Amino acid sequence: MDALGLARLQFAVTTSFHFLFVLLTLGLVTLVAVMQTRAALTGNPVHTRMTRFWGRLYVVNYALGIATGIVMEFQFGLNWSGLSHYAGDVFGAPLAMETLVAFFLESTFLGLWIFGWDRLNKWVHLALIWLVTLTAYASAFWIMVANAFLQHPVGHEERDGVLRLVDFSALVGNPLFGMAFMHVLLAALTVGGVFLTGVSAYHFIKRTQEVDFFRRSLRLGVVVTAAVTPLLIGVGFGQFPIIGEFQPDKTADVSGAAGAGLGFMIQAGMVLLLVSWLTVPLLIRDWVIRMRFPLYLMVIGIPLPFIAAIGGWLFRELGRQPWLVYGLLRTEDAMSDVSRDGMLFSFVAFTTVFAVLAVADWVLIARLARRGPVEAPTPVSPLVPAL
């Protein structure tokens, strides 16, 4: 494989890893905010315990997700300097908004939420988790604005061989942005719902004593999954006419890796829809927690939305090739002047770092999830010392 192939493979691997962290973060923070809202309104201690337990898992994933994001950002300078030179004035604008407005605010609000337990008024503390949620969505908003520009460049003009931003509103109004952004949010909610469902089902398989705790968690996860998955599939298919209008080659030829990604996305989505809708009626009866077969299905189903998400990303990104900025900048022209050996070293190093972070995340989350809510105090990440 030549240097260009290694650079593309490296970006595909690292962005795929990071995307999985982002989806679980967005999905979990929304559900944690719902749990804390119910706790504040009802005063029921089980909702408070749910908030602390699931919040702890969210914080672990968030912390390690940030690390993967920081590592991934180095690739733009190391491997794709041509993109920064040619389109940095336009492409960099939404990325700057994501960093300065969304990410910094999100981190600040999250820090106050983490260390504000039992210190802040409950309504102030509740407001903080909703601010964390909204700024997390804002972060995804600006990232998708930047990605939509790569898919369909708008709001620019070319001067002296480079692109200059002339209409910021055109970036937000990009026809390839709106439904794609909604698709990501629905995918994140699906991931969060399936994760909640699977972990709760695992504890029922293990005959947990926390029946009320995990019954409520299981119901919330299944209801969210069943409600969101049809919308997710609908929005996904709804993008095809728009993609066909602006990127006819992508929809005309779905062979190769892009077509395989589309097949994985559709199949995993349909299985999720079937399982979630079959499970909802069972939750009306409490005896479902004594049935092992549907519980095993819920646990096995945890990877499905992740597989579907990666499939959708492959279709969206690989189907754009050979363009990095569609119709304006080819991928080969955007690559930095790096030798094959240098790129191979970079690929191995980056992949190793991401693999270590991913394994650490999964091990920590699995350990905390198996432990259950008994030892789940304030949701502080193990990476952040408690006060």
Side-chain angles (χ1 to χ4, degrees):
M1 186 178 294
D2 61 7
L4 177 61
L6 287 170
R8 290 182 58 191
L9 180 61
Q10 176 181 326
F11 195 77
V13 170
T14 53
T15 51
S16 296
F17 270 117
H18 181 62
F19 190 41
L20 299 182
F21 283 92
V22 170
L23 286 176
L24 185 57
T25 294
L26 283 173
L28 270 184
V29 71
T30 308
L31 297 178
V32 169
V34 170
M35 295 173 193
Q36 187 165 349
T37 300
R38 296 177 70 180
L41 293 175
T42 66
N44 191 334
V46 71
H47 293 303
T48 301
R49 296 180 68 226
M50 288 170 61
T51 304
R52 290 177 180 266
F53 172 68
W54 296 108
R56 192 171 180 84
L57 299 182
Y58 154 69
V59 171
V60 170
N61 190 75
Y62 177 86
L64 289 167
I66 291 300
T68 64
I70 292 173
V71 174
M72 189 185 70
E73 290 297 325
F74 284 109
Q75 290 181 93
F76 285 111
L78 292 174
N79 299 345
W80 306 106
S81 58
L83 173 63
S84 301
H85 173 74
Y86 179 70
D89 187 68
V90 185
F91 180 67
L95 293 182
M97 294 292 292
E98 189 272 337
T99 301
L100 297 174
V101 177
F103 172 67
F104 284 161
L105 286 176
E106 180 186 1
S107 301
T108 300
F109 292 139
L110 179 59
L112 291 171
W113 182 76
I114 289 174
F115 297 109
W117 280 93
D118 304 320
R119 294 179 175 89
L120 298 174
N121 175 277
K122 71 174 184 178
W123 300 110
V124 173
H125 196 246
L126 175 62
L128 285 172
I129 192 61
W130 278 111
L131 287 171
V132 171
T133 304
L134 292 176
T135 48
Y137 287 169
S139 182
F141 177 92
W142 292 116
I143 291 296
M144 292 306 296
V145 167
N147 182 266
F149 169 78
L150 299 181
Q151 304 287 338
H152 177 59
V154 294
H156 65 86
E157 67 179 23
E158 187 167 333
R159 302 175 194 162
D160 300 324
V162 297
L163 301 183
R164 299 298 182 187
L165 179 64
V166 295
D167 187 358
F168 189 81
S169 63
L171 293 179
V172 179
N174 193 321
L176 291 184
F177 161 67
M179 293 190 72
F181 173 61
M182 183 60 64
H183 197 207
V184 168
L185 295 190
L186 292 172
L189 289 174
T190 302
V191 167
V194 170
F195 182 78
L196 221 67
T197 300
V199 173
S200 301
Y202 168 82
H203 281 276
F204 281 123
I205 291 173
K206 296 299 182 181
R207 305 303 186 191
T208 180
Q209 300 299 311
E210 297 278 0
V211 174
D212 185 47
F213 181 99
F214 284 111
R215 182 195 289 118
R216 292 175 185 270
S217 298
L218 183 69
R219 285 177 174 171
L220 177 59
V222 170
V223 169
V224 168
T225 304
V228 172
T229 304
L231 298 176
L232 173 67
I233 295 174
V235 170
F237 280 111
Q239 294 179 74
F240 279 94
I242 303 174
I243 295 173
E245 179 181 355
F246 295 99
Q247 295 182 345
D249 294 340
K250 181 181 289 188
T251 54
D253 181 14
V254 291
S255 59
L262 179 63
F264 278 124
M265 178 182 68
I266 294 174
Q267 292 173 20
M270 291 302 182
V271 171
L272 273 175
L273 180 64
L274 177 63
V275 171
S276 60
W277 277 94
L278 288 177
T279 308
V280 167
L282 295 177
L283 290 181
I284 299 175
R285 308 290 183 181
D286 286 342
W287 48 261
V288 68
I289 64 177
R290 296 190 293 271
M291 297 177 60
R292 303 184 74 82
F293 178 69
L295 296 175
Y296 279 114
L297 286 180
M298 296 173 192
V299 175
I300 295 172
I302 291 178
L304 284 178
F306 292 102
I307 295 172
I310 292 300
W313 180 87
L314 288 174
F315 173 71
R316 182 174 176 87
E317 298 303 311
L318 293 179
R320 187 176 72 240
Q321 295 302 315
W323 301 103
L324 187 54
V325 181
Y326 192 80
L328 296 178
L329 179 66
R330 289 182 175 271
T331 304
E332 60 185 12
D333 297 326
M335 185 180 164
S336 303
D337 185 16
V338 182
S339 67
R340 182 188 180 279
D341 291 341
M343 189 60 67
L344 179 60
F345 174 80
S346 174
F347 171 72
V348 173
F350 273 77
T351 303
T352 300
V353 171
F354 268 80
V356 169
L357 291 173
V359 170
D361 181 59
W362 296 333
V363 168
L364 285 171
I365 287 181
R367 182 181 300 170
L368 292 172
R370 285 196 302 267
R371 185 181 301 170
V374 176
E375 299 179 31
T378 301
V380 178
S381 167
L383 305 179
V384 182
L387 293 178

